[in-house]
Amino acid sequence: MTLKRLTCSLRALLQRRCQITNISSTGLEQPHCISSVYKAGVLIARSYYGAARSTDQADDGSVPVRTVDLRSDTVTKPGPAMRRAMAKAEVGDDVYGEDPTVNELQRQAAQLFGMEDALFVPSGTMSNLIAVMSHCRERGEEIILGEKSHLHIYEQGGSAQCAGVHSCTVRNNPDGTFNLEEVESKIRHGYPDSHYPRTRLIGVENTHNIQGGRVLPLAFLKELRGLADRYDLAVHMDGARLMNAAVALSVHPSEILQHCDSVSVCLSKGLGAPVGCLLGGPREFVQRAVRARKVLGGGMRQAGILAAAGILALNNMVGRLKDDHRNAKTFARALLQADSPLCCVDLSTVETNILRFRVQQPGLTPQEFCTRMEAVTPGEVESLGQGVRVLMFPHVEGSVRAVWHLDVSEEDTELAIRKLNYITHKYREERQSA
């Protein structure tokens, strides 16, 4: 059988299975980037990252499916007001410093951060790397980081790969902090001894992603600032979700950042912009950052189209973050209130929009739990009156992570709770009949 005939046969088979389960096959015309899994009578379309597509399926003849996408707050899409702002943005060549919208975004960000200047860059990963390059100006210098920090785990070792900067890790506490005595013990005191790197920078993350969106206490940051000053070290905050931290603490962002030399704040997470990150710090630091951005390929031209979305995000989207925090807490309570709960969570750790919880049934893995939450079965449709696909993914140390954002409403959260209660009931029935 030729490859073309085999592909057609597989597609026909998948379409027949969709009809059996009343799920549309929309989107399966892209087998090069979408793979499909058929499990327990349910068709699940998956992307490169192993997570189901977020598109709702409601074609003629199919059952309506509501998707509640809790994979990350990066999946948000710009709404009509943001798109209008982008379309109307006044632009210029930002590499020449002539884009008025970018300049205004940077001015507003610097004021919000309580810092001298700010720089608009394409991504948080680039922003953190630029910060390391701008603080650590010689190859072989060193940054001290939490072992579970985003900069250490998820950014491809860019500090070493691109900047020639060595990372030294300390153990993260459950709340995202670390022991300052351990930090002090890791500071190199032998410079210019040729055997050792030179400690230049301490990095913190706020809110802390892997630890479940935890907010760093102001008292910890104040003590860290004192330690850094004693040894003439800089402090950089990976503040991808800094605004969530500020809302959770009910303080102005500058009150958090008074203890830091620089900060990286994402616009494309809970604030809902499609692209971009802001790097703030002293004016001389930002001037060095412009040079680092250039060599990394981050110099954009008529970037005002993107900066306009950032301005709207800073002005209109911060206040509503409390809704995401409330919805995450509501779902966390539901995990505990379910009849014979499958999952456990410490409510005191749910501080912002990220919820990290554990599956406590020996026979149910985090992967299977996520698969059940995303799959739609005929029985579910009959019980709930519609299909509900809840997208999450297995996280570190056997946990599951779910993230709330502006595209997940209170109604969506209630639907996710109904789906949770349904699969809990079905799982108990299966166990009893086994």
Side-chain angles (χ1 to χ4, degrees), residues 194-205:
S194 61
H195 295 87
Y196 308 117
R198 183 182 186 181
T199 306
R200 276 290 198 183
L201 181 64
I202 301 173
V204 293
E205 183 177 340

Side-chain angles (χ1 to χ4, degrees), residues 130-131 134-135 261-262 279-290:
I130 291 172
S134 300
H135 284 298
D261 295 283
S262 61
L279 178 62
R283 187 160 289 110
E284 182 185 357
F285 166 86
V286 172
Q287 288 172 353
R288 294 196 301 270
V290 171

